[in-house]
Amino acid sequence: MSTGVSTSTDKIIVDKSRSHRNKAVSRTVRATRERLQTATGIAPGFEREMLQLHIASAAQNALAVPVVVVLIAAVGVYLTQEIGLLAWAILALSVHALGMIVARRAHKQEITADNTRRWQRIFLAAQVAMGLAWAAFSLQTCGPCGNATFDFYKGSALLVALAVTAISTLMLRHAVLYAFLPTVVALSISALLRPNPATFGMVTIISAALIFLIFMTNRLRHTSAQLLSSQSEKDDLIAELEVAKSMSDEARRRAEEANLAKSRFLASMSHELRTPLNAILGFSEVMSTEVLGPLNNPVYKEYTSDIHRSGQHLLNLINEILDLSRIEAGKYDLSEDSVHLVDIAEDCIGMVQLRARAKNIAISEQVEGDMPAVWADEKALRQVVLNLLSNAVKFTPQGGEIFVKAGWTAGGGQYISIRDNGPGIPEEEIPVVLSAFGQGSIAIKSAEQGTGLGLPIVQAILAKHNGEFILKSKLREGTEAIAILPAKRVLQSLPAVTETQAVAPRRKSFA
């Protein structure tokens, strides 16, 4: 339990200052659910992310297309000696430069959901312009060289360009189609105007490669969208868990503060609550015993006895509440000394013996002999044993029996066990009776109802002694309460020191 004191005057469990975070998380979770309900396609919310990835990829791969263009032009000039390929290379590099300028401008501006479509159209227009440059390359001819050799060169160059374009424009929808559809159209028109098997073969290969790459890029884009969706869902869940944890921590902190304030209040009100009750008990006892003279009316004497009995009951109740409050507030200090557990048990048995005889209950003892003392608070241990014996007497029926055992534990500690043959406690109600103010169904139905603080106080006192409290019970068979003290609390007696002959002091000589 936290012992810090809050300086805030707001004691509301829910922190209203974080409501905006809750609304944001709710909107995000709602959007995520809408995405999950989408059966096909890519959610509109991911088009912006895809476009941003394309812009980043264009900046990273800015040199890929120029390198390919320069290599194709250099190989072509070497093979064909055609200077026109240099003019085409300048045209292609200029178109690519314009595309890079567009990418840099988009990178500097903020891509929003409203302008995503516009930027997609601009980038697709840039791909169309680059596609016209590749179409111009496909229409190049070579007079001195053979048609088969030049067609093989053009086909190989276009396949390389198609692959590079597909990789660099993976995140832009329909980019490969817009970039190489003009090339396929130009090659098809050229094949129709000048029928040639090599040209038909090149058109077929380029078209098949284009269709295959369109299919693959669509699949890869869909996989990328799924990865983005998973990442977004993970971020949403993390945000929701953070808000839930924050609200839980805030609620726990405020509950602990409220409980600590209650415990401190009750612990500090001990004198104010007990002083009036002591006066009531004292004066009612004086009147009931007629110390200052007889009471003429016998009903008044009966009333004074009722007042004394009710005040005593109220005082016991307040003592239990104050004990538990001091323990919770950390103000329950132990006054430890060397005590014998068996002696405490016998004294407590004598204190409840009168009540047990009134109900014709027999109390049996079974203790191990020569048990050493333990280092503990005698008053606290006496309260533990007395609470357990009082509960046993209270819930044991007429003519029942109570068994008290004391001995060694397997770990070298000491224990005291109090078992009765009463109605018992249902197994599911044991955690209830061990909680503060908790009462089982048997206790609620009985005539002698308590406060539900006896067992929690026992458990807390044993915890202060580093001990353990075990409650075993079966319905209609009885209950056994075991209080255990650890081995480090047991004081082992030391053997007597044997007498040894004193050593004669050495005489000092002063020469």
Side-chain angles (χ1 to χ4, degrees):
M1 182 182 295
S2 175
T3 57
V5 180
S6 174
T7 57
S8 173
T9 57
D10 179 22
K11 293 301 179 183
I12 302 175
I13 293 298
V14 180
D15 189 1
K16 294 183 179 179
S17 64
R18 297 175 179 170
S19 59
H20 62 283
R21 293 181 60 185
N22 301 338
K23 292 180 181 178
V25 171
S26 299
R27 288 196 299 269
T28 308
V29 172
R30 187 162 51 251
T32 303
R33 290 173 180 171
E34 290 177 357
R35 289 199 305 270
L36 291 175
Q37 292 173 358
T38 304
T40 58
I42 300 174
F46 293 138
E47 293 293 342
R48 183 173 66 89
E49 285 80 1
M50 291 285 193
L51 186 59
Q52 289 176 340
L53 290 175
H54 170 70
I55 295 172
S57 176
Q60 293 175 357
N61 302 321
L63 295 178
V65 174
V67 169
V68 172
V69 170
V70 170
L71 288 176
I72 290 175
V75 173
V77 171
Y78 175 76
L79 292 176
T80 64
Q81 306 297 323
E82 289 287 341
I83 307 300
L85 289 174
L86 295 178
W88 168 83
I90 294 174
L91 173 65
L93 291 176
S94 301
V95 173
H96 179 71
L98 291 176
M100 289 298 100
I101 293 173
V102 172
R104 287 181 177 273
R105 182 174 298 179
H107 182 70
K108 294 180 180 179
Q109 295 184 6
E110 182 181 1
I111 305 297
T112 62
D114 298 330
N115 60 10
T116 299
R117 293 293 183 185
R118 181 172 63 86
W119 281 109
Q120 282 180 340
R121 289 193 291 268
I122 292 174
F123 280 108
L124 288 177
Q127 293 300 320
V128 171
M130 194 65 197
L132 294 175
W134 290 114
F137 172 77
S138 66
L139 296 177
Q140 296 290 323
T141 58
C142 178
C145 55
N147 290 332
T149 304
F150 189 71
D151 288 340
F152 176 77
Y153 157 73
K154 284 199 304 182
S156 302
L158 289 175
L159 286 177
V160 172
L162 179 59
V164 172
T165 304
I167 294 174
S168 59
T169 61
L170 178 63
M171 294 300 170
L172 185 62
R173 182 185 296 181
H174 306 312
V176 179
L177 178 63
Y178 279 71
F180 273 83
L181 184 61
T183 302
V184 173
V185 173
L187 288 175
S188 300
I189 294 174
S190 177
L192 291 175
L193 294 177
R194 290 178 299 176
N196 188 353
T199 305
F200 276 113
M202 183 170 57
V203 170
T204 304
I205 293 174
I206 297 297
S207 300
L210 178 61
I211 295 172
F212 174 75
L213 288 177
I214 289 174
F215 173 76
M216 291 302 299
T217 52
N218 287 335
R219 295 294 300 174
L220 291 174
R221 286 189 75 255
H222 184 71
T223 303
S224 301
Q226 289 180 340
L227 292 176
L228 288 174
S229 177
S230 301
Q231 181 68 29
S232 176
E233 292 169 12
K234 184 188 73 172
D235 295 341
D236 296 341
L237 291 176
I238 291 174
E240 187 176 7
L241 288 176
E242 287 180 351
V243 173
K245 182 179 182 300
S246 176
M247 294 178 64
S248 175
D249 293 342
E250 183 70 16
R252 186 184 70 249
R253 182 184 66 83
R254 295 183 183 275
E256 288 177 352
E257 287 181 354
N259 186 48
L260 185 61
K262 178 264 299 178
S263 300
R264 286 178 173 172
F265 169 76
L266 291 176
S268 63
M269 289 296 289
S270 172
H271 179 72
E272 287 76 5
L273 291 174
R274 284 172 173 168
T275 300
L277 277 176
N278 288 330
I280 293 172
L281 291 173
F283 291 141
S284 62
E285 187 175 2
V286 169
M287 294 173 66
S288 63
T289 55
E290 299 178 343
V291 173
L292 301 179
L295 295 176
N296 296 327
N297 194 333
V299 178
Y300 288 162
K301 185 176 181 179
E302 184 179 353
Y303 286 168
T304 57
S305 300
D306 293 338
I307 292 172
H308 187 272
R309 185 167 54 253
S310 300
Q312 189 67 43
H313 176 73
L314 183 57
L315 181 61
N316 294 334
L317 171 61
I318 291 175
N319 287 335
E320 289 183 347
I321 295 176
L322 291 175
D323 288 340
L324 189 60
S325 300
R326 283 201 305 271
I327 293 173
E328 291 180 350
K331 294 185 177 181
Y332 192 92
D333 298 326
L334 298 178
S335 179
E336 297 172 310
D337 200 355
S338 176
V339 295
H340 286 82
L341 191 59
V342 175
D343 296 341
I344 294 176
E346 290 177 352
D347 292 343
C348 293
I349 291 173
M351 296 173 66
V352 301
Q353 193 69 254
L354 187 61
R355 292 174 54 192
R357 288 175 183 173
K359 296 180 65 173
N360 196 21
I361 297 175
I363 301 179
S364 304
E365 299 180 46
Q366 183 182 352
V367 298
E368 296 186 16
D370 299 330
M371 292 181 63
V374 294
W375 187 255
D377 188 333
E378 182 178 1
K379 180 182 176 182
L381 286 186
R382 194 179 300 273
Q383 185 177 3
V384 167
V385 178
L386 194 58
N387 282 356
L388 297 180
L389 282 172
S390 299
N391 280 346
V393 173
K394 182 189 299 184
F395 295 108
T396 301
Q398 293 279 346
E401 191 173 2
I402 297 175
F403 304 91
V404 180
K405 294 176 61 177
W408 293 93
T409 64
Q414 293 186 12
Y415 78 93
I416 180 169
S417 168
I418 300 172
R419 180 168 56 88
D420 61 66
N421 57 356
I425 304 172
E427 186 177 355
E428 64 275 6
E429 293 183 2
I430 290 181
V432 176
V433 301
L434 290 177
S435 61
F437 302 100
Q439 294 183 355
S441 57
I442 304 298
I444 295 175
K445 295 177 183 178
S446 65
E448 295 184 272
Q449 294 187 19
T451 60
L453 295 176
L455 294 182
I457 290 175
V458 169
Q459 197 171 23
I461 290 176
L462 290 174
K464 293 284 287 186
H465 286 83
N466 309 111
E468 186 181 2
F469 177 64
I470 301 175
L471 185 65
K472 301 178 181 179
S473 184
K474 288 186 179 180
L475 199 60
R476 292 181 293 275
E477 291 186 11
T479 303
E480 183 180 9
I482 306 173
I484 302 175
L485 292 177
K488 63 181 180 180
R489 289 276 175 181
V490 179
L491 301 177
Q492 298 290 347
S493 58
L494 298 176
V497 179
T498 59
E499 294 184 357
T500 58
Q501 186 177 2
V503 179
R506 295 181 60 185
R507 297 182 60 184
K508 297 181 181 179
S509 60
F510 301 94

Short mmCIF file of all heavy atoms in Angstrom, two decimals, residues 17-37:
data_model
loop_
_atom_site.label_atom_id
_atom_site.label_comp_id
_atom_site.label_asym_id
_atom_site.label_seq_id
_atom_site.Cartn_x
_atom_site.Cartn_y
_atom_site.Cartn_z
N SER A 17 -9.09 14.59 -16.81
CA SER A 17 -8.11 15.26 -17.64
C SER A 17 -7.63 14.40 -18.79
O SER A 17 -6.99 14.89 -19.71
CB SER A 17 -6.90 15.68 -16.79
OG SER A 17 -6.25 14.53 -16.27
N ARG A 18 -7.91 13.10 -18.75
CA ARG A 18 -7.47 12.19 -19.80
C ARG A 18 -8.61 11.74 -20.69
O ARG A 18 -8.50 10.77 -21.40
CB ARG A 18 -6.80 10.96 -19.18
CG ARG A 18 -5.54 11.31 -18.40
CD ARG A 18 -4.97 10.10 -17.72
NE ARG A 18 -3.76 10.46 -17.00
CZ ARG A 18 -3.14 9.68 -16.15
NH1 ARG A 18 -3.60 8.49 -15.93
NH2 ARG A 18 -2.05 10.07 -15.52
N SER A 19 -9.70 12.47 -20.66
CA SER A 19 -10.84 12.05 -21.46
C SER A 19 -10.55 12.17 -22.94
O SER A 19 -11.05 11.41 -23.76
CB SER A 19 -12.06 12.89 -21.08
OG SER A 19 -11.79 14.27 -21.32
N HIS A 20 -9.71 13.19 -23.33
CA HIS A 20 -9.40 13.35 -24.74
C HIS A 20 -8.65 12.15 -25.28
O HIS A 20 -8.82 11.77 -26.42
CB HIS A 20 -8.59 14.63 -24.95
CG HIS A 20 -7.28 14.61 -24.24
ND1 HIS A 20 -7.14 14.81 -22.88
CD2 HIS A 20 -6.02 14.39 -24.71
CE1 HIS A 20 -5.87 14.75 -22.55
NE2 HIS A 20 -5.16 14.49 -23.62
N ARG A 21 -7.82 11.53 -24.45
CA ARG A 21 -7.10 10.33 -24.89
C ARG A 21 -8.07 9.18 -25.10
O ARG A 21 -7.95 8.41 -26.04
CB ARG A 21 -6.04 9.95 -23.85
CG ARG A 21 -4.91 10.95 -23.74
CD ARG A 21 -3.90 10.51 -22.72
NE ARG A 21 -3.32 9.24 -23.09
CZ ARG A 21 -2.47 8.57 -22.33
NH1 ARG A 21 -2.10 9.08 -21.15
NH2 ARG A 21 -1.97 7.42 -22.71
N ASN A 22 -9.06 9.07 -24.23
CA ASN A 22 -10.04 8.01 -24.38
C ASN A 22 -10.83 8.17 -25.67
O ASN A 22 -11.12 7.20 -26.38
CB ASN A 22 -10.97 7.99 -23.17
CG ASN A 22 -10.22 7.79 -21.87
OD1 ASN A 22 -9.12 7.28 -21.89
ND2 ASN A 22 -10.81 8.22 -20.78
N LYS A 23 -11.19 9.43 -26.01
CA LYS A 23 -11.94 9.66 -27.24
C LYS A 23 -11.09 9.31 -28.45
O LYS A 23 -11.58 8.72 -29.42
CB LYS A 23 -12.39 11.11 -27.29
CG LYS A 23 -13.44 11.48 -26.24
CD LYS A 23 -13.83 12.94 -26.35
CE LYS A 23 -14.86 13.30 -25.28
NZ LYS A 23 -15.22 14.74 -25.35
N ALA A 24 -9.82 9.69 -28.41
CA ALA A 24 -8.94 9.39 -29.54
C ALA A 24 -8.79 7.88 -29.73
O ALA A 24 -8.82 7.36 -30.84
CB ALA A 24 -7.57 10.03 -29.32
N VAL A 25 -8.63 7.17 -28.62
CA VAL A 25 -8.51 5.71 -28.70
C VAL A 25 -9.80 5.09 -29.22
O VAL A 25 -9.78 4.16 -30.02
CB VAL A 25 -8.13 5.14 -27.32
CG1 VAL A 25 -8.23 3.62 -27.33
CG2 VAL A 25 -6.73 5.55 -26.96
N SER A 26 -10.95 5.62 -28.79
CA SER A 26 -12.23 5.09 -29.25
C SER A 26 -12.37 5.27 -30.76
O SER A 26 -12.81 4.36 -31.47
CB SER A 26 -13.38 5.78 -28.53
OG SER A 26 -13.29 5.55 -27.14
N ARG A 27 -11.99 6.45 -31.26
CA ARG A 27 -12.06 6.66 -32.71
C ARG A 27 -11.13 5.72 -33.46
O ARG A 27 -11.48 5.16 -34.50
CB ARG A 27 -11.71 8.11 -33.03
CG ARG A 27 -12.77 9.12 -32.62
CD ARG A 27 -12.53 10.45 -33.30
NE ARG A 27 -11.24 11.02 -32.92
CZ ARG A 27 -11.06 11.84 -31.90
NH1 ARG A 27 -12.10 12.22 -31.16
NH2 ARG A 27 -9.87 12.33 -31.62
N THR A 28 -9.94 5.53 -32.92
CA THR A 28 -8.98 4.64 -33.59
C THR A 28 -9.46 3.20 -33.60
O THR A 28 -9.35 2.50 -34.60
CB THR A 28 -7.61 4.74 -32.88
OG1 THR A 28 -7.22 6.10 -32.78
CG2 THR A 28 -6.56 3.96 -33.65
N VAL A 29 -10.00 2.75 -32.47
CA VAL A 29 -10.51 1.38 -32.40
C VAL A 29 -11.70 1.20 -33.34
O VAL A 29 -11.85 0.17 -34.01
CB VAL A 29 -10.91 1.05 -30.94
CG1 VAL A 29 -11.62 -0.29 -30.87
CG2 VAL A 29 -9.67 1.01 -30.06
N ARG A 30 -12.56 2.22 -33.45
CA ARG A 30 -13.69 2.13 -34.35
C ARG A 30 -13.23 2.04 -35.80
O ARG A 30 -13.77 1.26 -36.60
CB ARG A 30 -14.60 3.34 -34.15
CG ARG A 30 -15.90 3.26 -34.92
CD ARG A 30 -16.95 4.22 -34.38
NE ARG A 30 -16.44 5.57 -34.25
CZ ARG A 30 -16.19 6.17 -33.08
NH1 ARG A 30 -16.40 5.53 -31.95
NH2 ARG A 30 -15.73 7.41 -33.03
N ALA A 31 -12.21 2.84 -36.17
CA ALA A 31 -11.67 2.76 -37.52
C ALA A 31 -11.04 1.40 -37.80
O ALA A 31 -11.16 0.86 -38.89
CB ALA A 31 -10.64 3.88 -37.73
N THR A 32 -10.38 0.86 -36.78
CA THR A 32 -9.78 -0.47 -36.94
C THR A 32 -10.84 -1.53 -37.18
O THR A 32 -10.68 -2.42 -38.02
CB THR A 32 -8.96 -0.82 -35.69
OG1 THR A 32 -7.97 0.19 -35.49
CG2 THR A 32 -8.27 -2.16 -35.85
N ARG A 33 -11.93 -1.45 -36.45
CA ARG A 33 -13.01 -2.42 -36.65
C ARG A 33 -13.62 -2.29 -38.03
O ARG A 33 -13.98 -3.29 -38.67
CB ARG A 33 -14.08 -2.22 -35.58
CG ARG A 33 -13.61 -2.65 -34.18
CD ARG A 33 -14.61 -2.28 -33.13
NE ARG A 33 -14.16 -2.69 -31.80
CZ ARG A 33 -14.75 -2.34 -30.67
NH1 ARG A 33 -15.83 -1.59 -30.70
NH2 ARG A 33 -14.27 -2.75 -29.51
N GLU A 34 -13.73 -1.06 -38.53
CA GLU A 34 -14.26 -0.88 -39.89
C GLU A 34 -13.32 -1.49 -40.92
O GLU A 34 -13.76 -2.08 -41.90
CB GLU A 34 -14.45 0.61 -40.16
CG GLU A 34 -15.59 1.23 -39.35
CD GLU A 34 -15.69 2.72 -39.59
OE1 GLU A 34 -14.85 3.26 -40.34
OE2 GLU A 34 -16.61 3.35 -39.03
N ARG A 35 -11.99 -1.35 -40.68
CA ARG A 35 -11.04 -1.97 -41.61
C ARG A 35 -11.14 -3.49 -41.58
O ARG A 35 -11.04 -4.16 -42.59
CB ARG A 35 -9.61 -1.54 -41.26
CG ARG A 35 -9.30 -0.10 -41.58
CD ARG A 35 -7.79 0.10 -41.65
NE ARG A 35 -7.12 -0.33 -40.44
CZ ARG A 35 -6.89 0.45 -39.40
NH1 ARG A 35 -7.31 1.71 -39.41
NH2 ARG A 35 -6.26 0.00 -38.34
N LEU A 36 -11.34 -4.03 -40.36
CA LEU A 36 -11.43 -5.48 -40.25
C LEU A 36 -12.67 -6.02 -40.94
O LEU A 36 -12.70 -7.17 -41.39
CB LEU A 36 -11.44 -5.89 -38.77
CG LEU A 36 -10.12 -5.66 -38.03
CD1 LEU A 36 -10.29 -5.98 -36.55
CD2 LEU A 36 -9.00 -6.49 -38.62
N GLN A 37 -13.74 -5.19 -41.01
CA GLN A 37 -14.98 -5.63 -41.65
C GLN A 37 -14.91 -5.54 -43.17
O GLN A 37 -15.79 -6.00 -43.86
CB GLN A 37 -16.15 -4.80 -41.13
CG GLN A 37 -16.46 -5.07 -39.65
CD GLN A 37 -17.51 -4.13 -39.10
OE1 GLN A 37 -17.98 -3.24 -39.82
NE2 GLN A 37 -17.88 -4.33 -37.86
#
